[in-house]
Amino acid sequence: MTDIYLQLLIKNRRETAGFQYTVPSPQTYPYQWLWDSCFHAIILDHYNSWDAKKEILSLVAKQFQNGMIPHMIYWEKSNKTTFPHIKWGKYGTSTLTQPPMIAYAVWAIFQNEQDLNFLQTIYPKLYHFYKYLLTERDPHEKHLIGIMNPDESGEDNSPRFDKLLKLPVKHTREENRKRRFELIEQNIECKFDAPFCMRNFFWVKDVPFNAIMVTNLKLLAKIAEKLDRREDAIYFIKEADKIGLAMKEFMLQDGIFYSTYGEDYQKIKVKTWAIFTPLFAEILSREEAQKLVTEHLLNKDEFWTKFPVPTTALDEPGFDPKGFWRGPTWIASNWFIYKGLLNYGFTEIAKEIRESSEELISKSGFREYFNPQTGEGLGAKNFTWGGLVMDMD
Ligand code: GLC
């Protein structure tokens, strides 16, 4: 079973201008993406940490002056794709970012060989990136990181963003895309100056992005310690704690963390898989975690489908078993939930999620996402994220 994952990643591997990276799907996504590359590095590290390192080195190669790492890098133009080409106002990369999983991937790589040279090389880039997020994306110093476009969440069409995009609950993928492109036009106009763009057009403090930030800052602190940068380590730990506390203060209601929007932190009360990401960040007490898992994850009317975990709860009006991020099960979201469950010792449930993820792949192949009720494979083919089951160990 194992080698099919490596084969897939090798098939999707590209080499350009001395850099090596992996495309998520040759036809549908023929470029390099930020969190995808972190997933690739995590998977590759199980086979060969040199390839994992190369994936990260190519990802940080196009870091912006202000520290932002773009969510897409077009190393080579591809004509054989259905991917809609967007005018980002910049050559060769997008001007948005994506969930900051890089410190996690780097720490995973370090576990393997304890290669301090690699840490040394990559650390300034990481420092700059996380520092950018902590400052530019939190202009009010409330300790919640903001995103300025749904695509920065990695869940482009999630129903969490409908209201802000002024879309009705039921709408087509085309309508959704049109609104997101309009937003990019506005972002180009405000020159992607994050505080300005967020204040004026789209400002979401998203639960998964912040949960991922908490875990990554803690790992970044470990990396800093390995390099004898004690002050940095203390700083990053403190920032992680502050985000965890702010999440509780602004997002938590009746046991559920909701993303918020705008200057006054209005809650977006839509139940998606995002509600489980605080388990990944370990910011819940044991009792809170237990309640979340029993009342929501294992609830057959919400998230416990035949092939869990749907990205949107069944009882949400926006639920669509085939809609992009609007219901289907994705292997990456399962991976986050799996790791979160292990943090709290829910090993049996985690195991069920791993087995169900494996079953989806053997039944329907390396598809982008799956119908959570039937297991039907949907979206892109030869999609790399399936390899994450390798890391559910
Ligand atoms: C889609 C997904 C995003 C991913 C990209 C490449 O846009 O929503 O999360 O990074 O495809 O796989």
Side-chain angles (χ1 to χ4, degrees):
M1 187 79 176
T2 340
D3 279 356
I4 57 167
Y5 305 119
L6 182 59
Q7 276 166 17
L8 173 70
L9 264 81
I10 292 177
K11 226 168 113 193
N12 289 13
R13 180 173 296 165
R14 302 289 178 267
E15 279 169 67
T16 317
F19 287 100
Q20 179 180 305
Y21 62 100
T22 313
V23 299
S25 157
Q27 265 85 44
T28 316
Y29 302 112
Y31 307 111
Q32 183 171 22
W33 266 263
L34 196 164
W35 75 337
D36 301 63
S37 270
C38 298
F39 300 149
H40 300 153
I42 292 167
I43 302 163
L44 286 168
D45 189 51
H46 284 268
Y47 301 97
N48 167 348
S49 59
W50 181 227
D51 287 329
K53 287 175 199 167
K54 284 189 173 167
E55 186 86 22
I56 296 295
L57 290 170
S58 59
L59 179 62
V60 299
K62 301 286 178 181
Q63 183 164 35
F64 289 10
Q65 285 253 310
N66 67 3
M68 198 187 88
I69 296 180
H71 92 301
M72 285 178 64
I73 303 176
Y74 305 91
W75 289 99
E76 274 174 354
K77 264 229 154 353
S78 172
N79 301 321
K80 288 191 235 113
T81 177
T82 49
F83 189 81
H85 286 91
I86 303 172
K87 286 207 180 83
W88 294 102
K90 189 158 177 90
Y91 180 74
T93 74
S94 80
T95 8
L96 302 174
T97 193
Q98 246 187 353
M101 279 295 290
I102 309 184
Y104 187 105
V106 168
W107 184 249
I109 295 170
F110 182 72
Q111 296 314 293
N112 230 351
E113 287 179 343
Q114 310 281 310
D115 177 357
L116 277 173
N117 283 336
F118 175 63
L119 284 195
Q120 205 94 41
T121 310
I122 210 78
Y123 182 75
K125 304 267 187 185
L126 297 188
Y127 180 93
H128 205 187
F129 178 47
Y130 288 93
K131 190 83 183 170
Y132 160 82
L133 293 173
L134 288 168
T135 49
E136 289 292 296
R137 297 309 186 99
D138 178 27
H140 286 176
E141 297 185 35
K142 287 277 210 267
H143 312 296
L144 286 178
I145 311 302
I147 54 173
M148 59 172 158
N149 191 295
D151 294 48
E152 294 202 307
S153 73
E155 299 169 62
D156 320 354
N157 296 45
S158 169
R160 296 204 293 285
F161 310 120
D162 289 354
K163 193 173 157 197
L164 279 174
L165 292 178
K166 301 188 181 66
L167 286 165
V169 174
K170 297 282 174 206
H171 59 265
T172 63
R173 198 161 164 190
E174 212 26 68
E175 285 163 336
N176 191 295
R177 183 176 285 157
K178 192 164 167 274
R179 284 296 298 126
R180 288 177 11 250
F181 283 7
E182 282 165 18
L183 191 55
I184 289 166
E185 290 297 322
Q186 292 172 319
N187 289 156
I188 290 175
E189 247 167 65
C190 62
K191 299 195 171 46
F192 292 89
D193 172 22
F196 185 88
C197 292
M198 293 193 300
R199 201 167 40 245
N200 291 291
F201 305 119
F202 182 97
W203 189 3
V204 170
K205 272 74 65 170
D206 208 25
V207 174
F209 201 108
N210 280 279
I212 287 170
M213 189 73 179
V214 169
T215 301
N216 276 264
L217 285 176
K218 286 188 203 154
L219 296 175
L220 185 56
K222 288 194 183 189
I223 295 170
E225 245 168 43
K226 287 283 168 201
L227 297 172
D228 286 328
R229 295 174 186 262
R230 303 229 83 204
E231 269 181 34
D232 289 2
I234 292 167
Y235 168 70
F236 288 128
I237 284 283
K238 278 195 180 150
E239 292 300 311
D241 289 343
K242 286 182 197 163
I243 295 175
L245 286 174
M247 287 178 75
K248 287 193 166 175
E249 183 181 346
F250 294 106
M251 295 173 161
L252 189 57
Q253 189 172 333
D254 301 327
I256 294 185
F257 284 79
Y258 294 106
S259 298
T260 75
Y261 68 93
E263 301 213 30
D264 48 356
Y265 299 84
Q266 302 234 26
K267 293 190 180 69
I268 304 171
K269 292 218 179 141
V270 180
K271 268 181 299 165
T272 65
W273 77 283
I275 70 171
F276 304 115
T277 55
L279 297 168
F280 181 71
E282 291 181 83
I283 57 171
L284 298 173
S285 68
R286 174 88 222 154
E287 293 69 41
E288 287 167 335
Q290 180 73 59
K291 199 164 177 285
L292 184 69
V293 169
T294 328
E295 289 181 12
H296 301 288
L297 183 62
L298 300 180
N299 182 338
K300 290 207 157 94
D301 298 323
E302 293 187 11
F303 291 98
W304 206 245
T305 51
K306 184 147 192 268
F307 295 95
V309 176
T311 36
T312 300
L314 301 185
D315 61 351
E316 279 294 338
F319 172 78
D320 171 359
K322 296 184 178 201
F324 201 73
W325 288 109
R326 303 180 73 83
T329 296
W330 293 61
I331 304 298
S333 39
N334 272 5
W335 178 88
F336 281 105
I337 297 172
Y338 175 89
K339 296 283 174 188
L341 289 169
L342 287 193
N343 285 341
Y344 288 86
F346 296 110
T347 42
E348 278 311 306
I349 309 168
K351 189 167 156 246
E352 283 190 50
I353 290 179
R354 187 190 68 224
E355 286 171 358
S356 163
S357 305
E358 281 170 350
E359 198 186 330
L360 281 172
I361 291 163
S362 46
K363 178 178 153 68
S364 305
F366 286 121
R367 298 301 297 269
E368 191 178 7
Y369 48 96
F370 305 86
N371 183 319
Q373 291 159 324
T374 64
E376 180 197 0
L378 300 159
K381 294 184 177 147
N382 299 310
F383 192 66
T384 49
W385 295 13
L388 280 172
V389 298
M390 258 304 295
D391 192 60
M392 297 191 195
D393 45 12

